[in-house]
Structures are given as structure tokens and as C-alpha cells.
CSV table of all heavy atoms in Angstrom, one decimal:
chain,number,residue,atom,x,y,z
A,2,LEU,N,0.8,-1.2,0.0
A,2,LEU,CA,0.0,0.0,0.0
A,2,LEU,C,0.8,1.3,0.0
A,2,LEU,O,1.9,1.3,0.6
A,2,LEU,CB,-0.9,0.0,1.2
A,2,LEU,CG,-2.0,-1.0,1.3
A,2,LEU,CD1,-2.8,-0.8,2.6
A,2,LEU,CD2,-3.0,-0.8,0.1
A,3,ASP,N,0.3,2.3,-0.6
A,3,ASP,CA,0.9,3.6,-0.5
A,3,ASP,C,0.4,4.3,0.7
A,3,ASP,O,-0.7,4.9,0.7
A,3,ASP,CB,0.5,4.5,-1.8
A,3,ASP,CG,1.1,5.9,-1.7
A,3,ASP,OD1,1.7,6.3,-0.7
A,3,ASP,OD2,0.8,6.6,-2.7
A,4,ILE,N,1.1,4.0,1.8
A,4,ILE,CA,0.6,4.4,3.2
A,4,ILE,C,0.4,5.9,3.2
A,4,ILE,O,-0.6,6.4,3.8
A,4,ILE,CB,1.6,4.0,4.3
A,4,ILE,CG1,1.6,2.4,4.3
A,4,ILE,CG2,1.2,4.5,5.6
A,4,ILE,CD1,0.3,1.7,4.6
A,5,ARG,N,1.3,6.7,2.7
A,5,ARG,CA,1.2,8.2,2.8
A,5,ARG,C,-0.2,8.7,2.2
A,5,ARG,O,-0.8,9.6,2.7
A,5,ARG,CB,2.3,8.9,2.1
A,5,ARG,CG,2.2,10.4,2.2
A,5,ARG,CD,3.4,11.1,1.5
A,5,ARG,NE,4.7,10.9,2.2
A,5,ARG,CZ,5.1,11.6,3.3
A,5,ARG,NH1,4.3,12.5,3.7
A,5,ARG,NH2,6.2,11.4,3.8
A,6,HIS,N,-0.6,8.0,1.1
A,6,HIS,CA,-1.9,8.5,0.5
A,6,HIS,C,-3.1,7.6,0.8
A,6,HIS,O,-4.1,7.7,0.1
A,6,HIS,CB,-1.6,8.5,-1.0
A,6,HIS,CG,-0.5,9.5,-1.4
A,6,HIS,ND1,0.7,9.2,-1.7
A,6,HIS,CD2,-0.6,10.9,-1.4
A,6,HIS,CE1,1.5,10.3,-1.9
A,6,HIS,NE2,0.7,11.3,-1.7
A,7,LEU,N,-3.0,6.8,1.8
A,7,LEU,CA,-4.1,5.9,2.2
A,7,LEU,C,-5.3,6.9,2.7
A,7,LEU,O,-5.0,7.8,3.4
A,7,LEU,CB,-3.7,5.0,3.3
A,7,LEU,CG,-4.7,4.0,3.9
A,7,LEU,CD1,-4.9,2.9,2.8
A,7,LEU,CD2,-4.3,3.5,5.2
A,8,THR,N,-6.5,6.6,2.2
A,8,THR,CA,-7.6,7.4,2.7
A,8,THR,C,-8.3,6.8,3.9
A,8,THR,O,-8.1,5.6,4.2
A,8,THR,CB,-8.7,7.5,1.6
A,8,THR,OG1,-9.3,6.2,1.4
A,8,THR,CG2,-8.1,8.0,0.3
A,9,LYS,N,-9.0,7.6,4.6
A,9,LYS,CA,-9.7,7.1,5.8
A,9,LYS,C,-10.7,6.0,5.4
A,9,LYS,O,-10.7,5.0,6.1
A,9,LYS,CB,-10.5,8.3,6.4
A,9,LYS,CG,-11.2,7.9,7.7
A,9,LYS,CD,-11.9,9.1,8.3
A,9,LYS,CE,-12.7,8.7,9.6
A,9,LYS,NZ,-13.3,9.9,10.2
A,10,ASP,N,-11.4,6.1,4.3
A,10,ASP,CA,-12.3,5.0,3.9
A,10,ASP,C,-11.6,3.7,3.6
A,10,ASP,O,-12.1,2.6,3.9
A,10,ASP,CB,-13.1,5.5,2.7
A,10,ASP,CG,-14.2,6.5,3.0
A,10,ASP,OD1,-14.5,6.6,4.2
A,10,ASP,OD2,-14.7,7.2,2.1
A,11,GLN,N,-10.4,3.8,3.0
A,11,GLN,CA,-9.6,2.6,2.7
A,11,GLN,C,-9.2,2.0,4.0
A,11,GLN,O,-9.2,0.8,4.2
A,11,GLN,CB,-8.4,3.0,1.9
A,11,GLN,CG,-8.7,3.3,0.4
A,11,GLN,CD,-7.5,3.9,-0.3
A,11,GLN,OE1,-6.7,4.6,0.3
A,11,GLN,NE2,-7.3,3.5,-1.5
A,12,ALA,N,-8.7,2.8,5.0
A,12,ALA,CA,-8.3,2.3,6.3
A,12,ALA,C,-9.5,1.6,7.0
A,12,ALA,O,-9.3,0.5,7.6
A,12,ALA,CB,-7.8,3.4,7.2
A,13,ILE,N,-10.7,2.2,6.9
A,13,ILE,CA,-11.8,1.6,7.6
A,13,ILE,C,-12.2,0.3,6.9
A,13,ILE,O,-12.5,-0.7,7.6
A,13,ILE,CB,-13.0,2.6,7.5
A,13,ILE,CG1,-12.8,3.8,8.5
A,13,ILE,CG2,-14.4,1.9,7.8
A,13,ILE,CD1,-13.8,4.9,8.3
A,14,ALA,N,-12.1,0.2,5.6
A,14,ALA,CA,-12.3,-1.1,4.9
A,14,ALA,C,-11.3,-2.2,5.4
A,14,ALA,O,-11.7,-3.3,5.6
A,14,ALA,CB,-12.3,-0.9,3.4
A,15,ILE,N,-10.1,-1.8,5.5
A,15,ILE,CA,-9.0,-2.7,6.0
A,15,ILE,C,-9.4,-3.2,7.4
A,15,ILE,O,-9.3,-4.4,7.8
A,15,ILE,CB,-7.6,-2.1,5.9
A,15,ILE,CG1,-7.2,-1.9,4.4
A,15,ILE,CG2,-6.6,-2.9,6.7
A,15,ILE,CD1,-6.0,-1.1,4.2
A,16,TYR,N,-9.7,-2.2,8.3
A,16,TYR,CA,-10.0,-2.5,9.7
A,16,TYR,C,-11.2,-3.5,9.8
A,16,TYR,O,-11.2,-4.4,10.6
A,16,TYR,CB,-10.3,-1.3,10.5
A,16,TYR,CG,-9.1,-0.5,10.9
A,16,TYR,CD1,-9.1,0.8,10.9
A,16,TYR,CD2,-8.0,-1.2,11.3
A,16,TYR,CE1,-8.0,1.5,11.4
A,16,TYR,CE2,-6.8,-0.5,11.8
A,16,TYR,CZ,-6.8,0.8,11.8
A,16,TYR,OH,-5.7,1.5,12.2
A,17,HIS,N,-12.2,-3.3,9.0
A,17,HIS,CA,-13.4,-4.2,9.0
A,17,HIS,C,-13.0,-5.6,8.5
A,17,HIS,O,-13.3,-6.6,9.2
A,17,HIS,CB,-14.5,-3.6,8.1
A,17,HIS,CG,-15.8,-4.4,8.3
A,17,HIS,ND1,-16.2,-5.4,7.5
A,17,HIS,CD2,-16.7,-4.3,9.3
A,17,HIS,CE1,-17.4,-5.8,7.9
A,17,HIS,NE2,-17.7,-5.2,9.0
A,18,ARG,N,-12.3,-5.7,7.4
A,18,ARG,CA,-12.0,-7.0,6.8
A,18,ARG,C,-10.9,-7.7,7.6
A,18,ARG,O,-11.1,-8.9,7.8
A,18,ARG,CB,-11.5,-6.7,5.4
A,18,ARG,CG,-11.1,-8.0,4.6
A,18,ARG,CD,-10.4,-7.6,3.3
A,18,ARG,NE,-9.1,-7.1,3.6
A,18,ARG,CZ,-8.6,-6.0,3.0
A,18,ARG,NH1,-9.2,-5.3,2.1
A,18,ARG,NH2,-7.3,-5.6,3.3
A,19,ASP,N,-9.9,-7.0,8.0
A,19,ASP,CA,-8.7,-7.7,8.6
A,19,ASP,C,-8.6,-7.7,10.1
A,19,ASP,O,-7.8,-8.4,10.7
A,19,ASP,CB,-7.4,-7.0,8.0
A,19,ASP,CG,-7.3,-7.2,6.5
A,19,ASP,OD1,-8.1,-8.0,5.9
A,19,ASP,OD2,-6.4,-6.6,6.0
A,20,TYR,N,-9.5,-7.0,10.8
A,20,TYR,CA,-9.4,-6.9,12.3
A,20,TYR,C,-10.8,-7.1,12.9
A,20,TYR,O,-10.9,-8.0,13.8
A,20,TYR,CB,-8.8,-5.5,12.7
A,20,TYR,CG,-7.4,-5.4,12.3
A,20,TYR,CD1,-7.1,-4.8,11.0
A,20,TYR,CD2,-6.4,-5.8,13.0
A,20,TYR,CE1,-5.8,-4.6,10.6
A,20,TYR,CE2,-5.0,-5.7,12.6
A,20,TYR,CZ,-4.8,-5.1,11.4
A,20,TYR,OH,-3.5,-4.9,11.0
A,21,TRP,N,-11.8,-6.4,12.5
A,21,TRP,CA,-13.1,-6.6,13.1
A,21,TRP,C,-13.7,-8.0,12.9
A,21,TRP,O,-14.0,-8.7,13.9
A,21,TRP,CB,-14.1,-5.6,12.5
A,21,TRP,CG,-15.5,-5.6,13.1
A,21,TRP,CD1,-16.6,-6.2,12.6
A,21,TRP,CD2,-15.9,-5.0,14.3
A,21,TRP,NE1,-17.7,-6.1,13.4
A,21,TRP,CE2,-17.3,-5.3,14.4
A,21,TRP,CE3,-15.3,-4.2,15.3
A,21,TRP,CZ2,-18.1,-4.8,15.5
A,21,TRP,CZ3,-16.1,-3.8,16.4
A,21,TRP,CH2,-17.4,-4.1,16.5
A,22,LEU,N,-13.7,-8.4,11.7
A,22,LEU,CA,-14.3,-9.8,11.4
A,22,LEU,C,-13.4,-10.9,11.9
A,22,LEU,O,-14.0,-11.8,12.7
A,22,LEU,CB,-14.6,-9.9,9.9
A,22,LEU,CG,-15.7,-9.0,9.4
A,22,LEU,CD1,-15.8,-9.2,7.8
A,22,LEU,CD2,-17.0,-9.2,10.0
A,23,PRO,N,-12.1,-10.9,11.7
A,23,PRO,CA,-11.3,-12.0,12.2
A,23,PRO,C,-11.2,-12.1,13.7
A,23,PRO,O,-11.0,-13.2,14.2
A,23,PRO,CB,-9.9,-11.8,11.6
A,23,PRO,CG,-10.2,-10.9,10.4
A,23,PRO,CD,-11.3,-10.1,10.8
A,24,SER,N,-11.4,-11.0,14.4
A,24,SER,CA,-11.3,-11.1,15.9
A,24,SER,C,-12.7,-11.4,16.5
A,24,SER,O,-12.8,-11.5,17.7
A,24,SER,CB,-10.8,-9.8,16.5
A,24,SER,OG,-11.6,-8.7,16.1
A,25,GLY,N,-13.7,-11.6,15.6
A,25,GLY,CA,-15.0,-12.0,16.1
A,25,GLY,C,-15.9,-10.9,16.7
A,25,GLY,O,-16.8,-11.2,17.4
A,26,CYS,N,-15.5,-9.7,16.5
A,26,CYS,CA,-16.2,-8.6,17.1
A,26,CYS,C,-17.7,-8.5,16.7
A,26,CYS,O,-18.5,-8.0,17.5
A,26,CYS,CB,-15.5,-7.2,16.8
A,26,CYS,SG,-13.9,-7.1,17.6
A,27,ASP,N,-18.0,-8.9,15.5
A,27,ASP,CA,-19.4,-8.9,15.0
A,27,ASP,C,-20.3,-9.8,15.8
A,27,ASP,O,-21.5,-9.6,15.9
A,27,ASP,CB,-19.5,-9.2,13.5
A,27,ASP,CG,-18.9,-10.6,13.2
A,27,ASP,OD1,-17.9,-11.0,13.8
A,27,ASP,OD2,-19.4,-11.2,12.2
A,28,SER,N,-19.7,-10.8,16.5
A,28,SER,CA,-20.5,-11.7,17.3
A,28,SER,C,-20.5,-11.4,18.8
A,28,SER,O,-21.1,-12.1,19.6
A,28,SER,CB,-20.1,-13.2,17.1
A,28,SER,OG,-18.8,-13.3,17.5
A,29,ILE,N,-19.8,-10.3,19.2
A,29,ILE,CA,-19.8,-9.9,20.6
A,29,ILE,C,-20.9,-8.9,20.8
A,29,ILE,O,-21.0,-7.9,20.2
A,29,ILE,CB,-18.4,-9.2,21.0
A,29,ILE,CG1,-17.3,-10.2,20.8
A,29,ILE,CG2,-18.5,-8.6,22.4
A,29,ILE,CD1,-15.9,-9.5,20.9
A,30,ALA,N,-21.9,-9.3,21.7
A,30,ALA,CA,-23.1,-8.5,21.9
A,30,ALA,C,-22.8,-7.2,22.5
A,30,ALA,O,-23.4,-6.2,22.1
A,30,ALA,CB,-24.1,-9.3,22.8
A,31,ASP,N,-22.0,-7.1,23.5
A,31,ASP,CA,-21.7,-5.8,24.2
A,31,ASP,C,-20.8,-4.9,23.3
A,31,ASP,O,-19.7,-5.3,23.0
A,31,ASP,CB,-21.0,-6.1,25.5
A,31,ASP,CG,-20.7,-4.9,26.4
A,31,ASP,OD1,-20.5,-3.8,25.8
A,31,ASP,OD2,-20.8,-5.0,27.6
A,32,PRO,N,-21.4,-3.8,22.9
A,32,PRO,CA,-20.6,-2.9,22.0
A,32,PRO,C,-19.3,-2.4,22.6
A,32,PRO,O,-18.3,-2.1,21.9
A,32,PRO,CB,-21.6,-1.8,21.6
A,32,PRO,CG,-22.6,-1.8,22.7
A,32,PRO,CD,-22.7,-3.2,23.2
A,33,ASP,N,-19.3,-2.2,23.9
A,33,ASP,CA,-18.1,-1.7,24.6
A,33,ASP,C,-17.0,-2.8,24.6
A,33,ASP,O,-15.8,-2.5,24.4
A,33,ASP,CB,-18.4,-1.2,26.0
A,33,ASP,CG,-19.3,0.0,26.0
A,33,ASP,OD1,-19.0,0.9,25.3
A,33,ASP,OD2,-20.4,-0.1,26.6
A,34,VAL,N,-17.4,-4.0,24.8
A,34,VAL,CA,-16.4,-5.1,24.8
A,34,VAL,C,-15.9,-5.3,23.4
A,34,VAL,O,-14.7,-5.4,23.1
A,34,VAL,CB,-17.0,-6.4,25.4
A,34,VAL,CG1,-16.1,-7.6,25.1
A,34,VAL,CG2,-17.3,-6.3,26.8
A,35,ALA,N,-16.9,-5.3,22.4
A,35,ALA,CA,-16.5,-5.4,21.0
A,35,ALA,C,-15.5,-4.3,20.6
A,35,ALA,O,-14.5,-4.6,19.9
A,35,ALA,CB,-17.7,-5.4,20.1
A,36,GLY,N,-15.8,-3.1,21.0
A,36,GLY,CA,-14.9,-2.0,20.7
A,36,GLY,C,-13.5,-2.1,21.3
A,36,GLY,O,-12.5,-1.9,20.6
A,37,LEU,N,-13.4,-2.6,22.5
A,37,LEU,CA,-12.1,-2.8,23.1
A,37,LEU,C,-11.4,-4.0,22.5
A,37,LEU,O,-10.2,-3.9,22.2
A,37,LEU,CB,-12.2,-3.1,24.6
A,37,LEU,CG,-10.9,-3.3,25.4
A,37,LEU,CD1,-9.9,-2.2,25.2
A,37,LEU,CD2,-11.2,-3.5,26.9
A,38,VAL,N,-12.1,-5.1,22.2
A,38,VAL,CA,-11.4,-6.2,21.5
A,38,VAL,C,-10.9,-5.8,20.1
A,38,VAL,O,-9.8,-6.1,19.8
A,38,VAL,CB,-12.4,-7.4,21.4
A,38,VAL,CG1,-11.9,-8.5,20.4
A,38,VAL,CG2,-12.7,-8.0,22.8
A,39,PHE,N,-11.7,-5.0,19.4
A,39,PHE,CA,-11.3,-4.5,18.1
A,39,PHE,C,-10.0,-3.6,18.3
A,39,PHE,O,-9.0,-3.8,17.5
A,39,PHE,CB,-12.4,-3.7,17.5
A,39,PHE,CG,-12.0,-2.9,16.3
A,39,PHE,CD1,-11.6,-3.6,15.1
A,39,PHE,CD2,-11.9,-1.5,16.3
A,39,PHE,CE1,-11.2,-2.8,14.0
A,39,PHE,CE2,-11.5,-0.8,15.2
A,39,PHE,CZ,-11.2,-1.5,14.0
A,40,ASP,N,-10.0,-2.7,19.2
A,40,ASP,CA,-8.9,-1.8,19.4
A,40,ASP,C,-7.6,-2.6,19.8
A,40,ASP,O,-6.5,-2.3,19.3
A,40,ASP,CB,-9.2,-0.7,20.4
A,40,ASP,CG,-8.2,0.4,20.4
A,40,ASP,OD1,-8.1,1.1,19.3
A,40,ASP,OD2,-7.4,0.5,21.4
A,41,LEU,N,-7.8,-3.6,20.6
A,41,LEU,CA,-6.7,-4.5,20.9
A,41,LEU,C,-6.2,-5.3,19.7
A,41,LEU,O,-4.9,-5.4,19.6
A,41,LEU,CB,-7.1,-5.4,22.1
A,41,LEU,CG,-7.3,-4.8,23.4
A,41,LEU,CD1,-8.0,-5.8,24.4
A,41,LEU,CD2,-6.0,-4.2,24.0
A,42,ALA,N,-7.1,-5.7,18.9
A,42,ALA,CA,-6.6,-6.4,17.7
A,42,ALA,C,-5.8,-5.5,16.8
A,42,ALA,O,-4.8,-5.9,16.2
A,42,ALA,CB,-7.9,-6.9,16.9
A,43,VAL,N,-6.3,-4.2,16.7
A,43,VAL,CA,-5.6,-3.3,15.8
A,43,VAL,C,-4.2,-3.0,16.5
A,43,VAL,O,-3.2,-3.0,15.8
A,43,VAL,CB,-6.4,-2.0,15.7
A,43,VAL,CG1,-5.6,-0.8,15.1
A,43,VAL,CG2,-7.6,-2.2,14.9
A,44,ASN,N,-4.2,-2.7,17.7
A,44,ASN,CA,-2.9,-2.3,18.4
A,44,ASN,C,-1.9,-3.4,18.7
A,44,ASN,O,-0.7,-3.2,18.6
A,44,ASN,CB,-3.2,-1.5,19.7
A,44,ASN,CG,-2.1,-0.6,20.1
A,44,ASN,OD1,-1.5,0.0,19.3
A,44,ASN,ND2,-1.9,-0.5,21.4
A,45,CYS,N,-2.4,-4.6,18.9
A,45,CYS,CA,-1.6,-5.7,19.3
A,45,CYS,C,-1.5,-6.8,18.2
A,45,CYS,O,-0.8,-7.8,18.4
A,45,CYS,CB,-2.1,-6.4,20.6
A,45,CYS,SG,-2.3,-5.3,21.9
A,46,GLY,N,-2.3,-6.7,17.2
A,46,GLY,CA,-2.4,-7.7,16.2
A,46,GLY,C,-3.4,-8.8,16.6
A,46,GLY,O,-3.8,-8.8,17.8
A,47,LEU,N,-3.8,-9.6,15.7
A,47,LEU,CA,-4.8,-10.6,16.1
A,47,LEU,C,-4.3,-11.6,17.1
A,47,LEU,O,-5.0,-12.0,18.0
A,47,LEU,CB,-5.3,-11.3,14.8
A,47,LEU,CG,-6.1,-10.5,13.8
A,47,LEU,CD1,-6.3,-11.2,12.5
A,47,LEU,CD2,-7.4,-9.9,14.4
A,48,GLY,N,-3.0,-12.0,17.0
A,48,GLY,CA,-2.5,-12.9,17.9
A,48,GLY,C,-2.4,-12.4,19.3
A,48,GLY,O,-2.7,-13.0,20.3
A,49,GLY,N,-1.9,-11.1,19.4
A,49,GLY,CA,-1.8,-10.5,20.7
A,49,GLY,C,-3.2,-10.3,21.3
A,49,GLY,O,-3.3,-10.5,22.5
């Protein structure tokens, strides 16, 4: 990717595809828990 020219919409699409869905956030009922799990996936990677 051309990181310097990445758009917000492109980043959001990557986050949804590569972090939100693989970390199972869509199946977490509590939106606050889902939000924290998502943020941890982004900041620590899926393994972390």
C-alpha cells in the first residue's frame, strides 16, 4: 500500500476486513467489549 496516500475510507475497509471480522467482534453482543477487543486487535495484532 501507498501508506502516505491511504484514505480514511480505505483504512476503515481494511479494519473491518482484517481486524473486526477475524477477531469475532461482530458476534460480541456488548458494543463496549467489541470496541475494546477491536482496538486491541488493531494495536496488538490478532495474535496479541
